[in-house]
Amino acid sequence: MKFKSLLTTAAIALGLATGAVAQDKTKVGFVYVGPVGDGGWTYEHNKGRLAIEEEFGDKVETVFVESVPEGPDAERVMTQMALEGADLIFTTSFGYMDPTINVAKKFPNVKFEHATGYKMADNVSVYSARFYEGRAVQGHIAGKMTESNIIGYIGSYPIPEVIRGINSAYIHAKKANPDVQFKIVWAYTWFDPAKEADAASVLIEQGADVILQHTDSTAPQAAAQEAGNVITFGQASDMSEYAPKPRVSSIIDNWGPYYIARTRAVMDGTWTSSNTWDGIGPGMVEIGEISDAVPADIKEEALALKAALADGSYHAFTGPLKKQDGSDWLAEGEVADDGTLAGMNFYVEGLEGDIPQ
Amino acid sequence: MDLGQINPVLLVASLMVAATPLLLAAIGELVVEKAGVLNLGVEGMMIVGAISGFAISVETGSPWLGFVAAAIGGAVLSLLFVLLTQFALANQVASGLALTLFGLGFSALMGQSYVGVKPPSMGDIYIPLISDIPVIGPILFRHDPILYLGIALTAVVWAALKYTRVGLILRAVGENHDAAHALGYKVIKIRIMAILFGGACAGLGGAYISLIRVPQWTEGMTAGVGWIALALVVFASWKPWRVLLGAYLFGGITVLQLNLQAAGVAIPVEYLAMSPYLITILVLVILSADKSSAPASLGRTFHASH
């Protein structure tokens, strides 16, 4: 009995002590859709988390949970984080949108940041990167480099973010090479290396010599390397271990600066709900080094395109553009507005197949 | 839509590759369950096999040694399950789940320095003349050796369970461990052997993904194959050839649906994506109409004092 009460006292004391320490620190939580070692999407978010730790040192404490399925389980993980005293929680996948909103309602004093979604609340911000700008550069290189004129595209889920990428890549591939054809395979997963590799192999078997991916692992790169004479692009992360070939360039998501800024805002008490959507210009999207497998003139064109996207002199969705069904979308010189882009659910003219609904 | 873009020969060849990890893991689990043990740790043993095999083949340059290491890795992890369930008499379901969680975490730790490394290639078997026969050659005689090992293992397990004394004893232990014990068979010892065999097979299956099918190491790369293997054993009514059929069906439809998508067939993608699961279950359920049932002692803890 005595021993028990001693233990209880010790436990309470310990709890109080850690509680007291925790108050000084800002606690930042991260919910990841894949493992931090995926080499792609989650890997970059985790780099952002480490950047926060480096910037603020002892003043912050970060926690993360990896491989959280999109759905009810995500709600449980977020609730747990909020209960453990997180001040700011980043939920880093599209499928966490509704869970984030639900949990945010229950914890009005905790700030939430949801990546790539569009539902906001007083304590929920959304942020995303204009990956489609990077896709434009990839599309240009792909269109110039393909010899079979067939470009394979591995999609994850048919959500606006992925459809924007397909459209942007297609528009610029078509500009570079009018004969180009896109073959699109939906993997219905963000992370499943075996399936992603199968998808890449299937596309290669059906004649594709360029593979674009919107899934998180490096498996398609490995499959392309195995097949030989196929080029790929790093997705979300540089994936430079597959350079100079098959990986000839990449889109790199650079979350660090944004994460640091938002954490600072929570510390200062200046955090407000906001909608951030940055591209190449502000540095949220980076283009990985274009390797020597790409001829110098194509590389130069790609870099010029990147520069134009960065300084705003060119928009990746500039008219004249038509929708897949032949109806007019953008007139000559008109650029797409963010609202349409954020909810994009149609292919542009020339792409084949239907978007799964 | 242009079905002509799908090359049936390449399709069949790649479905065999897609099915092999599943087949290896499931055939191992079948033996374990036939001995009356339910090991839900298949996923964990596979991923540990995947990284063990990958690490050793990168370090030694030999994929063969890699596969040996994968089998050992899977078996060593299953030893943990042996300790928990056969000696500590812990609950098998809980221990199996723990094994999976532990395996996933432990493999991520072991694999940290192997991300982005390219493993040595095993190469495919090539037999002059036979491998050159049109259609049959590429489908049957131009694969990596492990794929044939999977098929051979199915045959051996089937023959051993059906015709040999060892198989009879194994089944006796799985059906009624008290009776087997009363006859003087060492229930625990036999079960340990079965669990180790299951672990080794799961390890091989995992290494097949990391060394041949993908080939690379990524954390969590088995992505649920172990769970499908578990389900497959049940739907195949604990019969080796049905496991083979189920694995090939599942692998085949997985690859076929990707092919159909790439060829632009006008079937909604959602249906295609769920088709491997639906069709495999449907076919195996229809086949199991002959009322074959689970080993009677499946999942029950044995203690000699009972």
Side-chain angles (χ1 to χ4, degrees), chain A residues 35-39 66-67 150 158 181 183-188 191-195 197-199 201-203 205-206 217-223 225-226 241-242 352-354 356-357, chain B residues 1-2 5-7 10-11 14 18 108 115-118 121 209 212-223 225 254-255 257-264 266 268-270 273 277:
Chain A
V36 292
D38 70 352
E66 56 184 352
S67 302
I150 298 175
Q181 185 204 350
K183 278 183 185 289
I184 301 160
V185 167
W186 297 98
Y188 275 89
F191 177 81
D192 182 344
K195 198 170 197 179
D198 283 348
S201 305
V202 161
L203 289 165
E205 280 167 14
Q206 292 199 17
S217 89
T218 46
Q221 316 276 333
Q225 194 165 44
E226 194 78 357
E241 59 269 29
Y242 289 96
E352 287 162 26
D354 296 320
Q357 292 303 324
Chain B
M1 167 168 158
D2 181 8
Q5 292 167 327
I6 302 176
N7 182 336
L10 284 178
L11 176 71
S14 53
V115 174
V117 177
K118 187 175 158 53
S121 170
I209 299 179
I212 293 176
R213 190 169 165 205
V214 174
Q216 62 169 208
W217 165 251
T218 314
E219 238 177 76
M221 70 181 308
T222 48
V225 179
T254 307
V255 175
Q257 68 99 355
L258 292 171
N259 264 292
L260 290 175
Q261 277 198 50
V269 180
E270 294 88 340
Y277 303 88

Side-chain angles (χ1 to χ4, degrees), chain A residues 66-88:
Chain A
E66 56 184 352
S67 302
V68 178
E70 299 178 327
D73 214 26
E75 223 163 292
R76 184 183 58 77
V77 171
M78 290 170 207
T79 306
Q80 187 66 29
M81 270 185 185
L83 286 173
E84 280 170 6
D87 303 294
L88 175 64

Side-chain angles (χ1 to χ4, degrees), chain B residues 41-117:
Chain B
V42 181
E43 180 84 4
M45 299 185 297
M46 282 186 90
I47 192 88
V48 166
I51 182 59
S52 313
F54 191 87
I56 296 300
S57 65
V58 166
E59 299 300 338
T60 62
S62 158
W64 284 104
L65 281 178
F67 276 103
V68 171
I72 295 173
V76 167
L77 188 65
S78 72
L79 263 184
L80 190 65
F81 183 79
V82 165
L83 278 178
L84 289 170
T85 61
Q86 303 303 306
F87 295 111
L89 303 184
N91 179 292
Q92 293 180 3
V93 172
S95 308
L97 290 174
L99 202 65
T100 290
L101 294 175
F102 174 72
L104 286 170
F106 186 62
S107 62
L109 181 70
M110 286 207 296
Q112 275 179 350
S113 53
Y114 291 99
V115 174
V117 177

Side-chain angles (χ1 to χ4, degrees), chain A residues 28-32 34-36 42 46 49-50 53 61-68 77 81 90, chain B residues 219:
Chain A
V28 187
F30 287 83
V31 184
Y32 298 143
V36 292
T42 298
N46 196 50
R49 180 183 70 85
L50 296 173
E53 287 197 336
E61 182 190 350
T62 65
V63 290
F64 69 89
V65 180
E66 56 184 352
S67 302
V68 178
V77 171
M81 270 185 185
F90 291 95
Chain B
E219 238 177 76

Side-chain angles (χ1 to χ4, degrees), chain A residues 85-136:
Chain A
D87 303 294
L88 175 64
I89 297 176
F90 291 95
T91 58
T92 63
S93 187
F94 180 79
Y96 298 151
M97 182 160 65
D98 290 329
T100 305
I101 295 290
N102 292 344
V103 177
K105 267 186 210 147
K106 287 186 263 175
F107 298 93
N109 295 323
V110 179
K111 317 291 185 221
F112 291 83
E113 299 256 353
H114 177 239
T116 70
Y118 52 81
K119 289 189 184 168
M120 296 173 65
D122 283 344
N123 60 336
V124 182
S125 286
V126 290
Y127 65 101
S128 184
R130 296 180 187 268
F131 308 115
Y132 66 84
E133 296 186 349
R135 290 284 172 198

